[in-house]
Each structure stands twice: as C-alpha cells, then as structure tokens.
Amino acid sequence: MSRQDTGNTREKILAAACELFATHTYRAATMREIAERLRIAKPSLYHHFASKAEILDSLISAPITELAAVVDAAAAEPDPAETRRRVLRGCIDVMVDHRDVMRLLLRDASVYTDDSTQVVAKVVTTVDRAIALLAGPDADWRQRLRAAQAFAAATDPIGQFHDAPDDELRDELFRGAGPLVGLSEP
C-alpha cells in the first residue's frame, strides 16, 4: 500500500468515525462499526489506529492546535481591541471549519475519558487563554465574566447549526458575541 493510499484510508477512517461518534456518541461507537462502515477488515483498521482513543485524538488534535495558534497570534497583537477581535474571529473560524469535531467536544460528554485527558487539558488551557485575551489586561471579574460569556456565545451554538452556511454563521456568531466584549461589527 502506498503512502497516499495509507493517508486516504486514514482520512476515510477519521470521517467514518466522526460520523459514528456523532450518531451514536464516542462511547457507544465501536471499532467494529467503523470497520464495517468502511467495508474493511477490523485488523486493517488497527493497522492505521491502535485504538478508538487514538482516532479521537487524531480528530481533535488538529483543530485544537489551530485554536491555540489563533490565540497565540492574537496575544502578539499590541492593540487590545484588535486582540479581542482576532481571538473571537479566529476561534469562530477554526470552530466553524471543524464543526463536526467541535460538536463532539461540545455535545458528547463521553469524549471526556482518561484516554483524552491530555487533549482536553489543551482545550481548557486554550479556552482559558482566549477568555483572558477577550477580557483584556487588568480585567475585573465582571470583564472576565463578559469575556467568558462572549466566548461561549461565539462557540457553543456551532454544533447546533450544521445546516447554516459557514460565512453567515461566522458573521452571526461574531455579531452576537462581539458586543459582550465591546466589539462592533467588523
């Protein structure tokens, strides 16, 4: 099997797993069901991924790394208002781009297992940094509260509106969340 075939098979496995996790929950979906969905033998599946937890990690790691990069880039911005705008817009962009995976994180409590501790810790750290940047330097508790509300308003609904066009969803999420941290439309 060529490297390209291996890569294509891995991507197909990830797509099938994401669908099954969304349909049945992470905990309820099985490696056997993933293999059956792809019409491959279960040992072939294990050739690409050692476990269901490894599949979950592969699904979640890329978007979380992208979120962390957005937060890091925004933190380098010298203007606090632009920092808030870049954090909010960037987080919305990444989460909309990876809507199916984000739905797993936001709606399926069964993804939070001992096997996912490291990736969940990275999610929490990234979200905490984003909220701190949204609040701004020397923020009091009310500003931190509004920042947390803005982050939640911008990200929590993403998994519920799978039928909304990406660009319109991005704009509406920003329109709803931005004013909580003093941002008007772009």
Side-chain angles (χ1 to χ4, degrees):
M1 182 180 296
S2 73
R3 275 193 162 166
Q4 184 176 0
D5 291 342
T6 300
N8 289 339
T9 302
R10 282 181 64 86
E11 292 305 313
K12 289 175 184 177
I13 291 168
L14 291 172
C18 192
E19 285 178 28
L20 285 168
F21 295 166
T23 304
H24 302 301
T25 75
Y26 169 72
R27 179 172 290 134
T30 66
M31 294 291 273
R32 180 186 52 77
E33 289 172 319
I34 296 168
E36 286 174 358
R37 167 83 47 111
L38 294 168
R39 296 188 174 107
I40 63 173
K42 195 172 167 185
S44 296
L45 181 61
Y46 283 106
H47 172 73
H48 296 281
F49 293 97
S51 66
K52 190 168 68 166
E54 187 178 322
I55 293 173
L56 178 66
D57 186 62
S58 291
L59 282 170
I60 294 173
S61 290
I64 298 312
T65 299
E66 288 178 40
L67 275 176
V70 161
V71 172
D72 290 344
E77 177 62 47
D79 176 36
E82 188 58 27
T83 296
R84 287 192 298 278
R85 183 176 310 286
R86 287 181 69 182
V87 166
L88 202 55
R89 276 278 177 202
C91 288
I92 289 169
D93 287 345
V94 170
M95 294 181 93
V96 169
D97 288 346
H98 300 281
R99 204 183 305 200
D100 292 338
V101 174
M102 290 300 118
R103 194 163 107 223
L104 284 174
L105 281 174
L106 297 170
R107 301 268 171 235
D108 183 358
S110 74
V111 301
Y112 301 102
T113 67
D114 290 342
D115 295 331
S116 65
T117 302
Q118 288 182 323
V119 74
V120 170
K122 189 171 183 180
V123 171
V124 170
T125 299
T126 301
V127 168
D128 288 348
R129 288 191 64 228
I131 290 170
L133 290 171
L134 287 170
D138 304 318
D140 65 19
W141 73 268
R142 286 179 178 85
Q143 292 165 314
R144 291 190 317 271
L145 173 65
R146 293 295 175 264
Q149 289 173 318
F151 189 85
T155 59
D156 286 358
I158 287 171
Q160 295 175 338
F161 295 94
H162 59 278
D163 59 336
D166 288 355
D167 289 338
E168 291 178 47
L169 180 61
R170 284 180 172 91
D171 290 343
E172 288 304 316
L173 290 167
F174 185 85
R175 221 175 258 120
L180 290 168
V181 290
L183 296 173
S184 58
E185 299 205 26

